Amino acid sequence: MGWESVRGRGGTRERTGERRPVWSGGDLSTAVALATAQLPTAGLLTFIDLSGRDDYGAGNGGALGAVFLLFLAPVLLPLLGVAQAFMLALPSVVAARLAGRRLGGPSWPWYLVAPVVPAAFWSALVASLGSWPFTSTFAVLAGLGVLPTLGVGWVRRRALRPAGVWWRAAAGSFGLAVLTVVGGVLASEAGLVPEYEPPRLTAAQLTGVWRDGSGAELRLHADGSAEAVKLPTEPAAFTDDDFSDYVVCAGPGTWAPRRTWRDGVLVELDGDCGRDTQWSVGGSEDAPQLFVLFGDPDAGTLRILERA
């Protein structure tokens, strides 16, 4: 099988009975158009979902950040669409067409199921790097791969020109974005997207051992004493030549419940390593957390401790 059997101009009609290439330049244009079109709606859904979760006090850039994203959108969206096409749609379409040729049956089920293959591959790779969990990454990537994959098959059967695909994709993208905004507002007003409320913990509930995955540990005892191991702490001082969002300290100290904008604990370590550090309560009632956002709220370092 030569290269021409995989890549072609897509000009052969299916009704002639001649076997068409499993991938063509027209398919790539379709995949990029549909992958790009779904990104605004995906971003809005992500924003709606995050609005009901803990933001750990991080800033969102405000109006300046929104303007910056809008300015970059015409460049970023097509680039992300191309990445999706090569990572998800291309292998999905090739897998669907090869499976259909060898196993037969209606073509659309193969197009619908095929995106799970590249989604599983990329999710496993990301999970192995410790970035994001496999399950949630797989669900997102598989969802992003379905529309471009199905769309490639639909467009090829109808022999639409690339310009026709792109204007339809743009119109559909705008309509879906408007529906998502309206639906998100209505869902928020109806209470279907509840506003996040941090848990309220008593002093007794705060006592115990708190750890993260990097070796940091904070032991809070009922008598008000504390012990730290590799604990990130507010730096005592910094200069332009030696700046760090936090320093790592260890040793004994004290703690006390302290409420600012939410419940938390103020940890004071003995010695001259770092300053007193306010750890705020986050997470949920069933899985509480202690966290500090060191440095700039828009681009700082977030450290989270979970109950051991």
Side-chain angles (χ1 to χ4, degrees):
M1 180 181 295
W3 173 251
E4 66 275 8
S5 65
V6 178
R7 182 184 175 193
R9 296 181 180 178
T12 307
R13 300 292 183 183
E14 299 241 357
R15 62 174 177 267
T16 64
E18 183 180 348
R19 177 167 292 188
R20 302 184 65 183
V22 294
W23 185 261
S24 69
D27 294 335
L28 178 60
S29 177
T30 299
V32 173
L34 295 176
T36 304
Q38 67 183 349
L39 287 177
T41 298
L44 289 171
L45 290 174
T46 301
F47 176 80
I48 293 172
D49 177 63
L50 292 177
S51 66
R53 301 188 183 189
D54 194 353
D55 63 359
Y56 298 105
N60 56 13
L64 183 60
V67 172
F68 184 71
L69 287 177
L70 288 175
F71 179 77
L72 290 180
V75 177
L76 288 179
L77 289 180
L79 291 177
L80 292 174
V82 171
Q84 282 189 75
F86 278 100
M87 295 173 61
L88 299 173
L90 188 154
S92 298
V93 170
V94 171
R97 287 174 176 162
L98 291 177
R101 290 178 181 179
R102 286 167 172 75
L103 302 177
S107 60
W108 69 265
W110 296 117
Y111 285 95
L112 184 62
V113 174
V116 304
V117 178
F121 171 79
W122 293 113
S123 300
L125 179 61
V126 170
S128 67
L129 299 176
S131 301
W132 291 306
F134 175 87
T135 303
S136 57
T137 306
F138 173 78
V140 170
L141 293 182
L144 290 174
V146 169
L147 177 61
T149 304
L150 286 172
V152 167
W154 186 86
V155 168
R156 174 179 273 204
R157 287 195 300 272
R158 284 154 182 79
L160 295 178
R161 294 181 179 275
V165 175
W166 276 92
W167 78 255
R168 286 176 172 86
S173 177
F174 178 78
L176 283 175
V178 172
L179 288 176
T180 302
V181 171
V182 174
V185 172
L186 294 177
S188 298
E189 293 297 326
L192 299 179
V193 184
E195 184 179 355
Y196 172 77
E197 290 290 341
R200 304 293 299 271
L201 302 182
T202 64
Q205 292 173 314
L206 288 168
T207 58
V209 181
W210 302 81
R211 297 187 181 125
D212 70 2
S214 302
E217 180 177 298
L218 176 62
R219 294 179 176 270
L220 304 179
H221 302 292
D223 61 359
S225 62
E227 297 178 35
V229 177
K230 297 182 180 179
L231 188 69
T233 307
E234 293 283 357
F238 62 86
T239 64
D240 292 337
D241 296 329
D242 185 21
F243 175 80
S244 177
D245 286 342
Y246 63 89
V247 294
V248 177
C249 300
T254 60
W255 72 278
R258 185 70 60 87
R259 179 172 179 80
T260 53
W261 55 287
R262 65 165 83 189
D263 286 350
V265 296
L266 181 66
V267 178
E268 305 177 28
L269 297 180
D270 299 341
D272 56 359
C273 182
R275 293 183 295 160
D276 303 345
T277 303
Q278 172 79 20
W279 289 84
S280 300
V281 174
S284 63
E285 295 285 350
D286 297 331
Q289 300 170 334
L290 295 178
F291 73 90
V292 178
L293 182 61
F294 296 99
D296 188 345
D298 291 326
T301 302
L302 177 65
R303 297 297 299 267
I304 300 175
L305 304 177
E306 298 181 345
R307 192 184 298 278

